[in-house]
Every structure is written in structure tokens, then in C-alpha cells.
Amino acid sequence: MPEDLINSFMTGPDEKGRFGQFGGRFVSETLMPLILSLEEEYEKAKTDPTFWAEMDDLWTHYVGRPSPLYYADRMTKHFGGAKIYLKRDELNHTGAHKINNVLGQIILARRMGKTRIIAETGAGQHGVATATVCAKFGLKCVVYMGAHDVERQAPNVFRMRLLGAEVVPVTSGRGTLKDAMNDALRDWVTNVRDTFYCIGTVAGPHPYPAMVRDFQSIIGKEVRWQLAEQEGEGRLPDTVIAAIGGGSNAMGLFYPFLDDPSVNIIGVEAGGKGVDEKMEHCASLTGGRPGVLHGNRTYLLQDEDGQILEGFSISAGLDYPGIGPEHSWLHDIGRAKYVSITDKEALEAFQLSCALEGIIPALEPSHALAHVAKIAPDLPADHIIVMNMCGRGDKDIFTVAKHLGFDMKV
Amino acid sequence: MTRIDAKFATLKAEGKKAFVAYVMAGDPDYATSLELIKGLPAAGVDIIEMGLPFTDPMADGETIQLAGQRALEAGQTLQKTLDMAAEFRQTDNTTPIVMMGYYNPIFNRGVDRFLVDAKAAGIDGLIVVDLPPEEDDELCIPAQNAGLNFIRLATPTTDDKRLPKVLQNTSGFVYYVSITGITGSAEASAADVAPEVARIKSQTDLPLIVGFGIKTPEAAQGIAAVADGCVVGSAIVAELAKGRPVADVLAFVRSLADGAHRA
């Protein structure tokens, strides 16, 4: 796209909450007034210095920001090409990038006088982050989690309960993350007057995709100044790369670089057992098509009748049949490139990170790392890749052990 | 004038309230569902709401969710739902049919093609839960232009400031959702509903039908008395889900319709 035709990629969404044809507000009438008041409240907060002062204070003293930008020396040598930096968002309090966004939403909820917080969670990271911040502020917290995920993520379920949250196993539909989101929406419709829905990713009705992106953008903003500090004034990454389920950590890393044409942007979807007609994957962009679900139009995994399909991935955090609408737009206009990585490739990258850098990554960023492994060897030594290490792997050791044939019974 | 407008004109002339019945198309299978739908007018149903099954019905309670799952598992699709309406129309050309569901199956087919097919199948109106007035350009306006009614939901959270926007492009009737919640949950109370009905009717001449949380003939009568009619969905679907024969389900529908018509 000729640069002079576009002033900026950073002006979206429009007043209807659209990024091109994607996004919007596809919710029932009961929720509409609340969504509009949330938008109003967020617009006010955005330009209110006291809101950001409270965020900054908590980011620094509660979350531990800024997270380090770490030069992965041995990994760089191992691949023998591009220079690899890892943005260490796995070192945040609660072990992932999720808390960046939760803090913002909970502070907003408090400003709106809401006393009850609900959330959906897949792997449990967003649920744990929400339960954590609710505990900190003394708010009632209810987390919806697919019954299947409750079973396979038992440690996170216990964490949430320790933190005082009520965890509701969701058996409707097939009991997965998308069903958890359905049940959270049903709860919200029922308890609309006192309840705030804290969505964990850059999806859902407007203003969620923009709001969550803005809260997560701290990731990319830090990368900008941290890389300049280490590589010299004005040095930008040549490639930024992140894993995508709904796409919040990726949007947070990408957004501050959208208007820097020299920066390649790559999102990595979960390819599961392979992106083919069997649909055993979660690659909405590479294997889906546009549709409407959970309040927004975006790329979705669906059958020929427009019924939503279940995703499949080794990573519960990527196990979602949709993707944030801004990613769908960036994909369609070609500003960002989206690829997919299989379970097997992600598992190999997981082990490589442990062995070479002493970092046990979550399975989600292992997907991003697997793509780094594919492209880094062929890139020159002065090409800088920044990859978002968006979560730590503690929650995944049981899954990985099972796949590697290691008996964890004690 | 659509079949819906004609039906309300007739009911008004007779001094009767409307009884609207919701059933999920294709639940538990195509043949049973068609048999049930064909029996509804004789059981006293004035307007039929045909549920279009969807995998992710985020405004529905368990009863309707499970009905949708049964229908999908039995192979129901948007096309078969249109076919069902067309088959019904072969023997009944007056009872209005409103298709109620979620946007994605319609968007997936393509709005223009869907509207042509829906009209041809004898569908009279649409209720699409996840299309608020903010998204009117998607389906509401094209549907009106194609001669289909687009029936909007008004809810307890629709305040006076917002109500004109909700009523603006609504036609056929207004569907008042009696509770903040999902289908088949809390019981609606006529005492709570009456002032809301008055509030909405002060801003529109359209008939106002109340739904959600109506389960018995007594409740149907109570709610219909304070509005222009009522809708029962989950309670009927639940009878069918018990595995009861269609004739028994229709007898239950008859008792609800009688309740509403006593109002």
C-alpha cells in the first residue's frame, strides 16, 4: 500500500467501533446501554492524568513493570542469524501479560461504581489475573471456565479459589473457552446493573478491542525505549513477533509500531495438528473467514452454515475460534503478516528456550518462538527480532510432561 | 402490509390479545418439529416464532441452548429452516412466521441472498438478538426494504433517552424483554411489566408483546392483560424436550393460548 495514501494505521476504530469491516457492537439490547456507558467512561479515563497515574503506580509497584527487554545471546548464536530479543512479560506478577489489561479494566469498574467482576478464562491466566486484582481491591469475582479446562488446569483453578474468586465450570456447549465467554455474557445480561465484565483479550464488542489494546500497548511502548537504550538512539526492531489466541499480547506489542514502515509485524496462530480441512487448529486468519460472534465481526472458524467450530490446540490459551478484529483488519490490509505453528513445533521451541536461555516459556509464546526459529537463521546479524515472551510455563509443565512421556505422579 | 400487520389488525378488531409461541426449528428433528409447527395455529397460536439454531446462543438459557444443540445434531441448517417455513406455508398462508436467532448464519449466507430466500419461504419478520440499532445497516434496513418486518427487543435497561433509537426502525411489533436476563430464567411479574409497557407505548403505536420468563397459562394471562400479547418459548421447548408426543405439547400450547386470550 502506498504510504502517502494512509496517514496512520493507529487511528482505529471509527465511531462505530470498526476497524475496516471488522469489530462493531453485535450485542443484545440489554447490554447496549452498558457498553455505551463503558465507552463514555473509558474515553474520559483515557485523557485523565489521574487514571494513568494510578495505572503507572500499580504497574511499577504491583506488577513489576517495566518488564526487561532481554538479549537472548545463546539463542541468537544457536540460530546463527538475526539478533533476538525477548520482551519478558512472563516476569509480571501472575506470570503473564494478562494483568496489564486487568488492572486498567478494574480501575475503570471502580470508577463506574461496579461491585462485582466477571471474567472468562481458558488456560486460567486471565482468570488468575482478574482474581488477583479483585482480591487487591476487595471486589467480588466470578470466573467462568470451560469444564474441560477446569480439569486440565487444576492448579490455576486452585489459585483463583485461594484468591477468593468463585470459579464456575461451564458445561454449556462443549465446555470450552468460547462457551465460557457465552456464559459470562449470560451472567452479564442477568446482572447488568452491578456487574463489570472484564474481557481478557482484544475481542468482544466495542470498546473492548480498543481498550484492551491500549492497556496492553505498554508492552510495545517499553520495547521502543528499551531497544533504543540498548542498541542506540532511534533504533527500531526490524521484526516484532508474538503469539495470537484472541491476540492481546500481540496487539500490545504491535500497536506502537504500526506506523513505522520499517518494522515487520508477524502474528503467530496456533496451528494445532495442522491447518487443513480437518480443522484441528485455532488459526482463525489462516483457516477461517469473517463472521460475527461475541459482539464483533472478525475471522472465525465456522462451518458452511455459519455454525462456530471448536478450535484445537495444545495451548489452552490459544484455544479460541476467533481473533481480535484489529488483527483481522491488519491481516486484510497487509500491514501485519500472520502465520501458524503446529503443536509439535511449539513443543520443540518450548524445550529450546529451557535449554538455551533458562527460561521455561508458556506454550503460547512457544508458538512465537517456533516461528523465530524458522526465520532467524536466514536473516542477517544486524536484523533485530523482538519476540514477546508473554507468559511463563509453570502452568504448562503437566501438559508438556504428558507429551514428552514423562510421568509426573508423585 | 405483512401477515404480522394483518394479524394484529384482526386481533384488534376482535378485541383479543396475541399469543406468540416460540419453537426451535429442527428440534428434536425436522419431521417432529414441522409437525409441531403445523399444529400451532389450531392450538391457538397467533404468531409463530421459529428459532434458527446457532452454536453460541449467548442470550438464551439452558432450555433453548439444548434445543439448538439437538437441532444442529439432527442436521438442521439455515436452509432447512427456510424449507420448513415453506412447507408450513403450503397449508397456511395467514399465520405470521417470525424467524428468531443470531446474526452469523445469516451473515454467512449473505444478507441479500438470505432476504430473497426468506421472503420466498414465507417468513414475515426477523428478530436477531445480536443486532442492536447501532448495527441497523447490517440487516434491519435491508430487511425493511425487502418487505420483511424487523422486530426489535426493548429491555428494562432501555431507558427513555435510548427508547426512540430502539423504536425508530422497528416494525411489526415491539418485543419487550420482561427481565434483565436470558430466556427461560426468572419469572416475569405483571406488576413490574405494566409500567414499562405504558412507558414504551407512550412512544409508539406498534403492538407491544412481552416475552421472557412466562411459563404458565396464568402467567400468560397476567402478562397479556397488561400488554398487547405475550410470548412463551422455553416452557414449550421444555415440554418437547421431555420426549412428550407432539399432541401433548400442542395441548400445553393450547392451555397457554387460552390463558393469553382470556386476558
Side-chain angles (χ1 to χ4, degrees):
Chain A
M1 168 170 326
E3 272 167 57
D4 55 353
L5 287 184
I6 280 280
N7 293 321
S8 172
F9 293 107
M10 296 172 71
T11 56
D14 65 17
E15 69 284 353
K16 292 186 77 186
R18 299 288 181 94
F19 304 90
Q21 66 155 317
F22 300 105
R25 287 179 286 222
F26 296 89
V27 296
S28 60
E29 172 59 25
T30 310
L31 293 178
M32 247 348 271
L34 188 64
I35 300 241
L36 293 172
S37 85
L38 172 62
E39 183 183 351
E40 200 179 307
E41 200 69 33
Y42 178 56
E43 287 303 317
K44 265 192 267 168
K46 239 166 56 174
T47 51
D48 179 354
T50 64
F51 176 79
W52 291 106
E54 190 176 1
M55 287 287 282
D56 281 341
D57 181 60
L58 289 166
W59 268 339
T60 307
H61 302 292
Y62 192 64
V63 177
R65 300 210 74 91
S67 67
L69 181 67
Y70 164 72
Y71 169 51
D73 182 31
R74 289 192 69 212
M75 205 178 270
T76 298
K77 292 198 177 99
H78 177 80
F79 294 132
K83 195 167 181 183
I84 299 162
Y85 280 88
L86 303 176
K87 178 60 173 164
R88 302 287 308 275
D89 252 53
E90 99 279 12
L91 294 176
N92 294 338
H93 181 39
T94 71
H97 66 289
K98 292 290 187 189
I99 198 162
N100 300 334
N101 158 52
V102 170
L103 270 179
Q105 289 198 45
I106 301 292
I107 293 172
L108 261 187
R110 279 161 50 87
R111 289 164 75 109
M112 294 174 76
K114 303 292 180 187
T115 52
R116 179 174 175 272
I117 308 296
I118 57 169
E120 83 295 336
T121 198
Q125 291 304 101
H126 175 60
V128 168
T130 306
T132 298
V133 180
C134 285
K136 189 201 144 31
F137 285 111
L139 294 165
K140 185 171 167 44
C141 178
V142 180
V143 179
Y144 288 88
M145 188 169 186
H148 177 59
D149 290 332
V150 166
E151 218 169 284
R152 66 175 167 172
Q153 304 286 341
N156 270 345
V157 174
F158 185 55
R159 277 183 195 109
M160 287 184 267
R161 287 186 174 143
L162 279 175
L163 292 160
E166 179 192 345
V167 180
V168 182
V170 172
T171 51
S172 69
R174 293 201 189 143
T176 61
L177 175 56
K178 93 174 162 68
D179 302 302
M181 197 152 179
N182 289 335
D183 268 16
L185 284 162
R186 289 175 186 127
D187 177 312
W188 201 21
V189 153
T190 309
N191 302 292
V192 67
R193 295 179 207 276
D194 70 343
T195 297
F196 186 98
Y197 182 13
C198 182
I199 296 185
T201 191
V202 286
H206 177 63
Y208 281 98
M211 180 172 72
V212 176
R213 171 201 71 197
D214 293 346
F215 293 146
Q216 291 293 0
S217 290
I218 186 73
I219 298 170
K221 284 181 198 156
E222 285 176 4
V223 168
R224 274 190 100 92
W225 64 258
Q226 288 172 318
L227 194 68
E229 232 175 48
Q230 295 182 50
E231 291 283 343
E233 188 67 24
R235 183 66 165 100
L236 293 174
D238 299 296
T239 297
V240 291
I241 183 162
I244 297 187
S248 71
N249 92 81
M251 217 49 244
L253 174 63
F254 298 171
Y255 186 67
F257 296 106
L258 290 181
D259 285 343
D260 298 294
S262 69
V263 180
N264 296 308
I265 298 177
I266 304 175
V268 183
E269 295 192 284
K273 293 180 180 173
V275 182
D276 55 28
E277 68 286 348
K278 281 190 282 179
M279 297 302 272
E280 289 175 311
H281 62 84
C282 295
S284 320
L285 288 178
T286 32
R289 58 179 201 282
V292 174
L293 178 70
H294 293 154
N296 58 177
R297 170 152 49 226
T298 193
Y299 276 80
L300 297 172
L301 302 181
Q302 53 186 322
D303 70 12
E304 66 280 0
D305 193 44
Q307 305 295 339
I308 309 303
L309 298 171
E310 300 291 327
F312 179 89
S313 169
I314 188 172
S315 151
L318 302 178
D319 213 341
Y320 180 69
I323 183 169
E326 196 167 6
H327 285 296
S328 292
W329 176 68
L330 292 170
H331 168 74
D332 273 16
I333 62 169
R335 176 61 189 100
K337 183 182 157 193
Y338 294 86
V339 298
S340 70
I341 283 293
T342 63
D343 287 354
K344 191 167 163 285
E345 293 166 324
L347 271 169
E348 282 163 15
F350 177 99
Q351 295 171 80
L352 200 66
S353 174
C354 297
L356 291 178
E357 295 294 347
I359 297 171
I360 301 178
L363 282 167
E364 292 80 13
S366 297
H367 285 72
L369 188 58
H371 192 69
V372 170
K374 281 187 181 174
I375 61 172
D378 298 327
L379 291 166
D382 62 351
H383 186 107
I384 294 178
I385 295 178
V386 175
M387 188 208 104
N388 198 11
M389 185 59 82
C390 62
R392 67 177 83 130
D394 308 34
K395 69 180 174 56
D396 292 319
I397 54 170
F398 301 96
T399 306
V400 173
K402 198 177 132 205
H403 279 85
L404 299 182
F406 184 86
D407 188 359
M408 292 275 279
K409 281 196 202 90
V410 279
Chain B
M1 200 176 193
T2 65
R3 290 186 192 90
I4 295 173
D5 302 329
K7 175 62 77 175
F8 278 108
T10 310
L11 287 168
K12 195 173 177 187
E14 292 170 356
K16 270 171 73 181
K17 301 297 172 97
F19 179 67
V20 182
Y22 171 102
V23 291
M24 176 65 77
D27 168 36
D29 56 65
Y30 186 94
T32 310
S33 184
L34 181 61
E35 187 191 346
L36 175 63
I37 287 168
K38 281 185 165 175
L40 292 175
V45 171
D46 298 304
I47 297 173
I48 298 171
E49 275 183 23
M50 270 177 81
L52 173 66
F54 182 50
T55 38
D56 295 79
M58 61 188 187
D60 283 304
E62 198 181 9
T63 304
I64 307 277
Q65 289 172 36
L66 292 174
Q69 280 180 28
R70 285 191 298 271
L72 290 172
E73 275 156 28
Q76 190 72 9
T77 57
L78 173 54
Q79 183 57 50
K80 286 188 180 169
T81 304
L82 293 168
D83 293 347
M84 202 174 262
E87 277 199 63
F88 174 86
R89 278 279 167 261
Q90 287 171 8
T91 53
D92 185 321
N93 200 29
T94 56
T95 308
I97 301 177
V98 174
M99 186 186 272
M100 180 168 183
Y102 296 81
Y103 186 38
N104 198 53
I106 295 170
F107 173 73
N108 175 70
R109 191 181 188 88
V111 164
D112 293 341
R113 188 181 149 208
F114 166 77
L115 289 172
V116 169
D117 295 347
K119 187 85 186 157
I123 305 274
D124 304 289
L126 303 173
I127 300 177
V128 183
V129 180
D130 50 354
L131 285 177
E134 279 71 8
E135 303 292 351
D136 269 359
D137 295 341
E138 293 282 334
L139 180 64
C140 171
I141 305 291
Q144 312 268 26
N145 291 340
L148 287 163
N149 287 133
F150 195 87
I151 294 129
R152 186 92 65 199
L153 305 177
T155 71
T157 59
T158 312
D159 59 19
D160 287 336
K161 194 171 123 235
R162 188 173 164 75
L163 194 51
K165 196 175 173 103
V166 169
L167 296 171
Q168 191 185 8
N169 292 320
T170 303
S171 63
F173 60 92
V174 178
Y175 187 133
Y176 180 67
V177 176
S178 65
I179 51 163
T180 57
I182 51 179
T183 55
S185 52
E187 207 148 315
S189 119
D192 291 343
V193 166
E196 290 294 297
V197 168
R199 177 171 76 94
I200 296 167
K201 284 195 78 86
S202 73
Q203 294 199 34
T204 180
D205 294 329
L206 288 170
L208 198 141
I209 303 299
V210 178
F212 282 43
I214 303 166
K215 295 166 186 167
T216 62
E218 295 70 32
Q221 181 178 358
I223 295 288
V226 300
D228 296 310
C230 67
V231 187
V232 178
S234 296
I236 298 169
V237 171
E239 287 301 301
L240 189 65
K242 287 179 195 158
R244 295 180 51 184
V246 169
D248 289 9
V249 178
L250 287 170
F252 176 63
V253 172
R254 161 60 67 191
S255 70
L256 293 164
D258 288 348
H261 290 146
R262 270 194 302 274

